[in-house]
Amino acid sequence: MINLTANIAGVHFKNPVVMASGTFGFGREYGKLYDVSMLGGISGKGLTLHAKPGNPGVRVYETASGMLNSVGLENPGVEAFLSKELPYWETLDTARIVNLGGNTLPDYVLGAELIQQDDDARRLAGKRAVDMIELNISCPNVKEGGIAFGVKTPAAREVVRAVRAATRLPLAVKLSPNAEDIAEMAEMCEAEGADAVSLINTISGMKIDVRRRRSVFHNLYAGLSGPAIKPVALRMVHQVAKRVSIPVIGMGGITSATDIIEFIMAGAAVIQVGTYNFMNLRAGSTLVEELQQFMIEEHISSLDEIRGII
Amino acid sequence: MATVISNERLTDGVYHLQVEGEYGGAMGQFYMLRAWGAYPLLSRPLSIHQVTDRGVDFLYHVVGEGTEIFAGLTPGDSIELEGPFGNGFPEVEGRIALVGGGIGIAPLYYCAQKLPGSDIYLGFSREAFRTEAFGPLAGELNINVGGLVLDSVDFTAYDHIFVCGPHPMLKAAQLKAMAAEQEGRGPQVYLSLENRMACGIGACLVCSVSCRDGQRKACADGPVFLSREVIFHD
Ligand SMILES: Cc1cc2nc3c(=O)[nH]c(=O)nc-3n(C[C@H](O)[C@H](O)[C@H](O)COP(=O)(O)OP(=O)(O)OC[C@H]3O[C@@H](n4cnc5c(N)ncnc54)[C@H](O)[C@@H]3O)c2cc1C
Ligand SMILES: Cc1cc2nc3c(=O)[nH]c(=O)nc-3n(C[C@H](O)[C@H](O)[C@H](O)COP(=O)(O)O)c2cc1C
Ligand code: FES
């Protein structure tokens, strides 16, 4: 029997295949196509305290082996999530991660507090629907907040410290590849009591429409994801995993079992799958099956055997 | 995986693709298609042209990399289909007009089959195609080449109008709908939108449409919207 499980801060992952925030909604849509409870986990669409309409104009553009998106954190807000989406999450048997963004420091804190209060009430009632918070300080597509907090370590420290104080839920901090020094950023998160770091978010990029002589995107820049960013993501996961002792959740361009193995060998505890969900609407079930098959072929009995061996 | 039955070139850059299998769907719904491996990354949305007992048909215009690959398909080739997705046009009764511009006629053929006797308006910028198939299903058939097909549609004469075509045509249809409404004889006008999509199922939010009641998803809440709901920004 091969063992695909992992554990992060007491949260059990039945396998390392977690769906990345913003590419999986809250799981409902994909849930119509396959049983999403077979996944290791789901990171929901990034939430902000209040609902956000997202960015105007074109929101997606394909590039060589990647795509640029400018969704701009369109989301229903924390409260609507808690009342409308959590009841669905309760029915799932997979790790459930709330991805939390913000415009300002108080937004992040209030968002985290609301989630914590809701969790306290649920625990009293013997229920539980959030397993972990993934703090997003790295969205390149919003003007305020997001990336503004994710580039410089001192600004990021303030947010991580404040959110850590606001919740007792396991906390992962999602880092930006645009950070000045991503390993230093991860060390800061560990020092501030984060239980894990996730990386990477999309890389800030651009596309110009030469005939109309302007950027394709209303916000000029957009976030690059997909296979094009995998080498960068892998290098960053490797760098960070060598510097911190908390688990690393690795992602960026994963589209196959061997991609997953690469990230685990670079030191990731579990991985996340984003853009591949658009290339293959059954990405989750495909990857879990392929991973099992690959491990049998390569005589790997547990991911612990190969984790961080590079 | 599905199999291509035929992929016939109708005119310059326009193809009629038939795919084998048990595929269903309502008028105005679409499938996400791909006939390649990892690249191009995204699958391409195409409207249902018709559903037959052998499978499902599409009518498409070659505009870029993906549709270029579709154009190279020959009988027996494999193609991946996910769907049917989207809300589709409603099943309505009364005086109905189907108005298509260019490749926008693609979903209207299935509508014409389901709503026989509707008046059909087909507009083309250069060359008409597939019009012969619409003839037997139409009440009145109007074909316009080089002009503005919407100009020939009297919006006060119908209860329901389905429109599919390029962006400027949809905006013009919305204006005509508003004008007819002001005269107190407004039909229900339905527009099929072609926003860029990534997932096609309502999970990624790249296809957002600004509507009077907030942001909607073209793939899951649409692609068909009541014209008065949509806010066009450009
Ligand atoms: C619901 C829906 C139904 C459609 N039905 C049809 C149909 O029946 N027949 C048909 O010919 N076309 C249809 N289209 C448009 C068709 O999807 C695009 O022409 C096609 O995706 C272009 O792909 P490409 O690779 O050839 O072009 P590229 O320019 O290389 O495409 C690059 C990217 O832009 C997107 N894109 C480009 N043009 C469009 C467009 N007009 N609409 C949406 N996305 C676009 C592509 O999907 C891709 O992600 C439909 C679009 C939608 C949203
Ligand atoms: C359309 C889209 C929306 C995204 N939205 C979010 C988000 O709300 N919060 C977040 O932390 N990351 C978001 N991301 C980033 C992904 O979670 C992931 O970090 C990134 O896409 C890299 O992984 P990939 O190459 O597998 O897609 C989004 C990515 C895409 C493509
Ligand atoms: S294409 Fe993903 S939500 Fe519409």
Side-chain angles (χ1 to χ4, degrees), chain A residues 4 91 114 121 135 145 153 200 261 276 302:
Chain A
L4 287 172
T91 67
L114 274 178
L135 181 66
T153 311
I200 59 177
I261 298 287
Y276 185 48
S302 132

Side-chain angles (χ1 to χ4, degrees), chain B residues 99-105 107-108 163-170 191-194:
Chain B
V99 189
I103 200 66
I105 71 166
L108 297 186
V163 188
C164 185
H167 198 74
M169 178 170 162
L170 300 181
L191 310 177
S192 179
L193 267 48
E194 286 195 2

Side-chain angles (χ1 to χ4, degrees), chain A residues 29 59 62 74 279 282, chain B residues 41 44 82 201 205 208:
Chain A
E29 293 81 10
R59 287 186 173 188
E62 278 186 88
E74 175 176 341
M279 302 163 64
R282 291 170 182 77
Chain B
L41 234 58
R44 301 313 198 224
E82 290 280 6
I201 59 172
L205 307 182
S208 267

Side-chain angles (χ1 to χ4, degrees), chain A residues 60-62, chain B residues 28-31 36 40 42-49 58-70 103-104 106-107 164 192-198 218-219 222-223:
Chain A
V60 65
Y61 203 95
E62 278 186 88
Chain B
Q29 286 194 303
F30 65 94
Y31 279 84
W36 51 80
L42 303 176
S43 303
R44 301 313 198 224
L46 291 182
S47 305
I48 296 173
H49 182 59
F58 303 94
L59 196 69
Y60 63 93
H61 195 187
V62 176
V63 296
E65 224 178 333
T67 45
E68 194 90 54
I69 298 173
F70 292 153
I103 200 66
C164 185
S192 179
L193 267 48
E194 286 195 2
N195 287 21
R196 283 168 179 256
M197 294 180 178
C219 65

Side-chain angles (χ1 to χ4, degrees), chain B residues 197-207 217 219:
Chain B
M197 294 180 178
C199 69
I201 59 172
C204 71
L205 307 182
V206 307
C207 67
K217 302 167 193 173
C219 65

